[in-house]
Amino acid sequence: DKVKECGFTVKTAACGAPYFEEAELVLVCRKRFAQPMDPACIPQEIKTKWYPQEDYHTLYIGEIIEVLAHEKGVQFIEEL
């Protein structure tokens, strides 16, 4: 369990999304769009250097629905 090994504490945002209590800033997002990267649009030198196994990323666009932050050790929540 990597989370336990790091000493992180998992908390749950109002919408049910998990986050780490130790984070200074958490942006809770709703996924609005997802698209796999098109290898035909990536320059060959980038593919060779960063994607030798052709394990391309997926691009996500999200809407921030909740912001959680710590200020001077005191947690506050800003509703959007």
Side-chain angles (χ1 to χ4, degrees), residues 18-44:
Y19 70 94
F20 297 126
E21 181 177 40
E22 294 78 10
E24 291 181 16
L25 177 67
V26 176
L27 302 176
V28 181
C29 299
R30 174 183 296 125
K31 182 174 69 172
R32 304 304 275 170
F33 178 79
Q35 177 177 325
M37 291 175 66
D38 182 355
C41 297
I42 303 171
Q44 186 58 48

Side-chain angles (χ1 to χ4, degrees), residues 15-73:
C15 67
Y19 70 94
F20 297 126
E21 181 177 40
E22 294 78 10
E24 291 181 16
L25 177 67
V26 176
L27 302 176
V28 181
C29 299
R30 174 183 296 125
K31 182 174 69 172
R32 304 304 275 170
F33 178 79
Q35 177 177 325
M37 291 175 66
D38 182 355
C41 297
I42 303 171
Q44 186 58 48
E45 65 272 10
I46 300 297
K47 289 193 282 189
T48 301
K49 182 175 182 177
W50 298 108
Y51 301 102
Q53 297 174 332
E54 299 182 3
D55 54 341
Y56 303 106
H57 289 89
T58 299
L59 170 70
Y60 291 94
I61 296 175
E63 172 188 0
I64 299 171
I65 59 170
E66 189 175 353
V67 176
L68 296 95
H70 287 278
E71 182 177 35
K72 297 181 183 177

